[in-house]
Structures are given as C-alpha cells and as structure tokens.
Amino acid sequence: MPRAEHIHAPPLIGLLRSASGRFALFFTAFFAAAATAAAVILWWNTAGALERQVDAAIRADAAALTDRRRMPTVEALAVAIEDRLALDVQNEALYLLLAPDGAKLAGNLEAWPSEANAEQPWIRMPLLRDGLVSEARILRLDMSGGYRLLVGRDVAEKLRLRGLLSEGIAWAASASAAIALFGAWGLRRALERRLSPVYGTAKEIAAGNLSRRVPLSDRDDEFDRLGRIMNAMLDRIAQLMEGVRGVSDAIAHDLRTPIARARAKLEEALDGARDEAALRAAVEQGIADLDGIARVFQAVLRIAEVEAGARRAAFAPIDLAPALADAAELYGAAAEARDQKLVSDLPTSLPLVGDRDLLMQAVANLLDNALKFTPDGGTVRLSAELSPVLVEIAVADDGPGLPQEDRARAGERFFRADAARSTPGSGLGLSLVRAVAALHGGTVTLGDTNPEAERPGLTVTLRLPVG
Amino acid sequence: MRLPVALLPLMLATPVQGETPLRVTTDSSAYCGELAARVSNQPGARQEVVRNLAEEGQRLCDTGHVRTGIAKLRRALRAAQGMGG
C-alpha cells in the first residue's frame, strides 16, 4: 500500500498558517489582554487599597506616638503604647519601644528583629501567633535620645482577603481563557464554513468544470460580495473563452471558402488552360485570392492588437476634424464613381486624446461599409459633433439597413448579416471599429437612418470621450 | 478548589523579609491578668456590661481560649472607659 507523502504540520503551526487561525488567535490575545487589564484594575482597587489603608494607619499611629516622645519623659510614650495595646479589640496592633541600651520599655513584640536595622524603614515580616504564621507590616522610627520604636499591624486578615481575591481572579481568568478559546474556535469554524463554497467552486473550476459558480447566501455580507465578484470574473472569463472559440471556428470556417476557391481556380487552370497567358492570368488570380486571405489575417491580428490595449501608449492630443475632411474627400471621389453622394457636415475642430491612425482606420471602415451597402445614386452622410465631454462621429447610409436581431452581433468577428452575404467583405470591419472605440473608452451604436422608410438605412455612431 | 492561585499574590505583593518570625507577647494568660487588672481599675468597672464582658473574658482565658478572652477583656476595657468618661 503506498504511503501518503503528505506531511502534517504541528497543530499550532497549522493554526498560524491559516488566516482564520490567525484571526482566532488575535481574538484570543485581545480578549486575554482585556481580561488582564480588568484583573489589574480590580487588584489595584481592592487588595492594593487594603495595603495602602494599612500603611496609612501605621503612618498616622507613628506620627501620634512621635508627638508623645516630645514630652519630657519617655514614660508617656510607653504608657500610650500600653494603652493602645489594651484597647486593640481587633488584635492587630504591633509595637516595640527600646531604650538606647536595648532594654524593652513597652510593646507586644518579643524581640527587635535584625531586619528592622536595614536602611528601609518599612519592613514586611512573618509573624507567629498561636502556632500559625501570618504576616506583619512594620515601620521603624528612630527617636531622639537613641530610643527606637517599631509600629506595625498584623495583616493576616488582609492576606486572607487577598487570597480569596486571587482565587476569584484566577477562576475568572480560567473561565475567560476557556471562553476566549471557545470563541476563537467558533470564529475559525465560522470563517472556514463561509469560505468553503469559494474553495469548492475554485477546486471544481480547477478540475475543469467551468460552469460552476460560487453559491450565494441572502446575507449579502463580505463573503457574498467576494462570491459575486468571483462569479462576475468567471462569467467574463467564460465569455472571453467563448469569444476565442468563436473566432477560431470563424477563422476556420470563413477562410476555408476562399482558400478552396483559390485552389479550385488554380486546379482548373492547370487542367484546362489553353495557353500560357490563360495560365498566367489564373496564377495571378490565385495570388490575389491569397493576398485577400493574408489581409483577413492582418485584420484579425490588428483587432487583437487593439483589444490588447498595446496601442494606448501612442495616445496623443489630436484634432480629428482635418483628418475627417480628408477622408470625406477621398471617399467622396470613390462615391462619385458609383453615382453616389458623400455629404459631410463637420465642425472646424474636434480635439480629443487618442490614436489618429486607428481612429481614421475606424472611420474609413465605416465609410467603406456605408458606400458598399448604399445603392447607386444613394447618399452617405458623414457628420461630427463636439460636446463638452464627447466627440460624436456618425456615418449614415440609405442602404437596406440591419435587422434589430443582427445589431448585437454586428461587432463579432466574421459576422455577416444574411442580406450581406452577396456583398464582398470579411465581416471584420465593424469588429475593428468596436475595438478602437473600446480602446478610447467610447461606444458604437447602430440605428436606422430613416426609421419610417422601406429601406431604413444604417447609421453607425461612434462616441468618444474628449479627455 | 485549590487552583494554582498562589502565583497572583506572590507576583503582586511586596516580598516578605526574614526567616525568623516575630513573636507577640500579648497572646498570653499573663496578659489576660494584666488586662483584667486594668478593667477593674476603671471607674466604670462595676457596670454590668463591663463586668459581664470582663468575667467572660477571664473565663475564656482560663479555659485556654486566650485570644478570644483577650478580645473580650479589651471590649470590657473600652466599655468601662466609655462609661467612666
């Protein structure tokens, strides 16, 4: 049996590697920090306050006894200490008054501790009472005449209270940690559950099922927005792939006919040419046919180049009016040859930012189409208008027009309406116009020239932004 | 219920100095007698409340409950001083 090659990371590393795990850990750390801050504040306001209270009581007591020492004899101080001890119902007070020679004069402490000789006047010491060790907080006072006094309190009760508080905080911290971990686990699970449709969709698409889309919930949250964007992206990819497939099919289909025709002509000439001149004419015709095929390829490549946006770098501020006037003159001559009329209505200036060659190629394609579909004696109209934000160029003919259902497909590569099958052309002209318009951030719309007429004609309007 | 709670107070409290504990001399039968004598010397010692507290304190001291007895005697002394003043 083959062994699995997959190496599992330790759980903590696995958790850190996943974004949801990191969010969860961040949540736990944040929660722990908040709980710690709450515990510190609680401690400061309870146990801390008790300690400060004890210190304040000792300080006040010491100040009162220091006043007593100002009396002529030290006995007054000794009596005050004994009185205080006699009235100490809480049994917390601790005193020791020593004479300069070390003799005990008053107080309830057995001996002077060596720790009380340290530089710090405040000390904390263990205290033995009834065989139980508690704690004493003591202040040392060095008095005039070499007398020394210790004033303190038994803080056993405070310690007990502090112990209870510590236990409470520890329990609360444990509960908080458990809740934080549970919350982190829940957060991670929720994130993974919400992301699993995205994973699933991506996995199926990677496996080749391109029709799969991310299922959306009715919550309209961030994950639904992500799902919608992914679906839109997948739709766009599918559309582009469909387009590529369509173009490949169209190239194969539309070029097969002229190639077959050229081949048939050459074969016919080879078999039936009566003299060298007839053979030569057939070869020339074959070359012309192949040139036509090469032109189609060139047009396809040019459209691809325009759609890729590579020409955007050549954009520059231009005035389209003189170029349109030149085109009108050039195509006007061609129109006259067929008894057609080309009427132009152009402003003196049409400033915009773009690629002059591409725009003129687009206009030339429109004029070429219009003249091709306009009957002899008909009229083609080239007009342009400038508004503050748009340049609008329209080419109108009075040909047969284009049925409504064909207009949406009119920009597709190699698309030719049924009525146009007999007219020479490759079905790429309007594709290039659309690609050029899209490159400039503009649009192309198709409409009837005379909607009421039997032959409604076609008006193609190219709208381009000025800036 | 014993959690490792000792950590918290240990971290937050000032360290306790010294290893030899201090001893208190006022938790003894001798101090009981000293307090009883103080009470009886007070002007309000004959009051019933004072007398009861002092007697109870003395009895507790005699039966070995020294600290409780001392607390009673101290209360008796307070009461006597309050009444005598």
Side-chain angles (χ1 to χ4, degrees):
Chain A
M1 198 172 145
R3 285 180 60 187
E5 293 287 322
H6 197 75
I7 298 167
H8 287 283
L12 184 63
I13 293 176
L15 195 69
L16 285 173
R17 275 185 192 154
S18 93
S20 56
R22 284 198 301 274
F23 284 143
L25 281 179
F26 174 75
F27 168 78
T28 313
F30 197 75
F31 196 82
T36 307
V40 167
I41 291 168
L42 184 69
W43 185 268
W44 173 257
N45 284 317
T46 50
L50 283 176
E51 278 183 26
R52 289 191 294 278
Q53 218 173 25
V54 168
D55 286 3
I58 292 173
R59 219 177 276 121
D61 202 7
L65 291 172
T66 307
D67 276 352
R68 289 294 177 109
R69 178 65 195 97
R70 293 207 182 96
M71 290 186 173
T73 60
V74 78
E75 277 72 27
L77 178 59
V79 168
I81 289 170
E82 294 306 331
D83 284 349
R84 278 168 160 74
L85 282 173
L87 294 171
D88 178 27
V89 178
Q90 278 84 32
N91 201 16
E92 288 177 347
L94 300 169
Y95 298 100
L96 182 61
L97 177 63
L98 291 190
D101 60 357
K104 179 177 170 181
L105 297 178
N108 60 345
L109 290 177
E110 198 177 53
W112 185 271
S114 58
E115 289 80 2
N117 298 327
E119 200 179 330
Q120 267 288 335
W122 286 99
I123 55 171
R124 195 180 279 278
M125 285 206 60
L127 182 70
L128 196 64
R129 295 192 99 154
D130 280 350
L132 294 171
V133 178
S134 73
E135 198 179 302
R137 177 81 168 142
I138 294 171
L139 176 64
R140 186 196 68 225
L141 295 166
D142 296 318
M143 306 184 120
S144 58
Y147 292 95
R148 289 182 296 161
L149 175 65
L150 293 180
V151 181
R153 292 288 182 272
D154 179 355
V155 291
E157 285 300 317
K158 270 90 183 169
L159 282 184
R160 255 194 294 282
L161 204 63
R162 204 166 67 180
L164 284 173
L165 187 67
S166 309
E167 198 163 329
I169 288 178
W171 275 111
S174 309
S176 300
I179 292 169
L181 284 174
F182 183 73
W185 174 79
L187 183 69
R188 188 184 175 192
R189 254 185 77 87
L191 279 172
E192 279 179 350
R193 203 171 49 240
R194 293 294 281 123
L195 280 172
S196 68
V198 180
Y199 294 151
T201 305
K203 211 184 243 178
E204 281 207 35
I205 286 171
N209 180 7
L210 299 181
S211 63
R212 182 71 199 274
R213 294 291 179 270
V214 179
L216 301 175
S217 73
D218 49 7
R219 273 175 279 201
D220 196 29
D221 57 9
E222 291 85 345
F223 297 100
D224 282 326
R225 282 202 287 280
L226 173 68
R228 260 200 302 279
I229 291 169
M230 271 192 71
N231 288 348
M233 181 185 80
L234 292 170
D235 287 346
R236 177 79 182 129
I237 290 170
Q239 193 189 347
L240 290 173
M241 285 182 67
E242 191 59 39
V244 169
R245 197 176 297 127
V247 168
S248 316
D249 293 350
I251 291 174
H253 181 265
D254 283 59
L255 292 185
R256 194 181 55 187
T257 312
I259 290 171
R261 198 187 305 131
R263 186 185 181 283
K265 278 183 191 167
L266 288 172
E267 203 171 18
E268 193 184 308
L270 194 63
D271 292 341
R274 288 182 303 276
D275 51 26
E276 197 185 325
L279 192 62
R280 190 177 187 82
V283 170
E284 278 172 1
Q285 179 62 45
I287 289 170
D289 287 345
L290 290 174
D291 282 350
I293 294 165
R295 271 197 300 279
V296 169
F297 273 114
Q298 213 169 356
V300 170
L301 289 173
R302 194 165 172 79
I303 293 168
E305 184 194 25
V306 172
E307 282 181 346
R311 298 286 295 255
R312 204 169 278 130
F315 275 23
I318 51 170
D319 184 359
L320 218 50
L324 286 177
D326 287 349
E329 201 173 317
L330 184 68
Y331 280 87
E336 274 171 24
R338 291 181 57 196
D339 286 338
Q340 294 167 328
K341 265 199 299 186
L342 198 153
V343 180
S344 63
D345 177 13
L346 302 171
T348 50
S349 173
L350 276 174
L352 61 85
V353 176
D355 185 321
R356 181 198 302 268
D357 292 347
L358 282 180
L359 287 168
M360 288 323 296
Q361 173 74 60
V363 171
N365 282 7
L366 292 178
L367 286 171
D368 199 41
N369 269 355
L371 291 171
K372 211 156 48 183
F373 291 103
T374 296
D376 290 354
T379 305
V380 171
R381 183 176 296 275
L382 170 66
S383 60
E385 269 180 47
L386 176 66
S387 76
V389 290
L390 277 181
V391 167
E392 203 173 280
I393 301 162
V395 177
D397 64 53
D398 50 9
L402 193 65
Q404 197 70 40
E405 60 271 19
D406 287 343
R407 284 183 193 172
R409 297 193 59 205
E412 290 177 14
R413 288 173 181 79
F414 299 105
F415 172 75
R416 307 200 71 206
D418 290 340
R421 295 272 173 210
S422 56
T423 316
S426 60
L428 292 170
L430 208 52
S431 294
L432 182 73
V433 175
R434 278 199 194 277
V436 169
L439 180 73
H440 286 79
T443 56
V444 179
T445 50
L446 308 182
D448 293 333
T449 307
N450 307 301
E452 306 299 322
E454 189 190 343
R455 294 170 63 84
L458 184 70
T459 300
V460 184
T461 310
L462 188 57
R463 290 188 183 83
L464 303 166
V466 171
Chain B
M1 283 289 278
R2 281 286 140 204
L3 280 173
V5 292
L7 280 175
L8 259 178
L10 280 178
M11 280 191 300
L12 295 168
T14 316
V16 175
Q17 296 166 339
E19 287 176 8
T20 318
L22 290 169
R23 283 170 194 277
V24 176
T25 54
T26 43
D27 291 343
S28 61
S29 316
Y31 194 64
C32 279
E34 199 179 309
L35 278 177
R38 262 182 182 257
V39 174
S40 58
N41 287 337
Q42 294 296 318
R46 287 174 189 283
Q47 296 290 328
E48 196 184 345
V49 182
V50 177
R51 214 173 51 238
N52 285 345
L53 278 169
E55 280 171 5
E56 202 181 338
Q58 190 63 58
R59 194 171 56 249
L60 282 164
C61 282
D62 293 344
T63 52
H65 302 99
V66 178
R67 286 183 73 172
T68 327
I70 286 172
K72 289 275 179 197
L73 285 165
R74 279 169 167 159
R75 284 175 62 193
L77 190 60
R78 279 198 170 205
Q81 280 189 352
M83 286 167 182

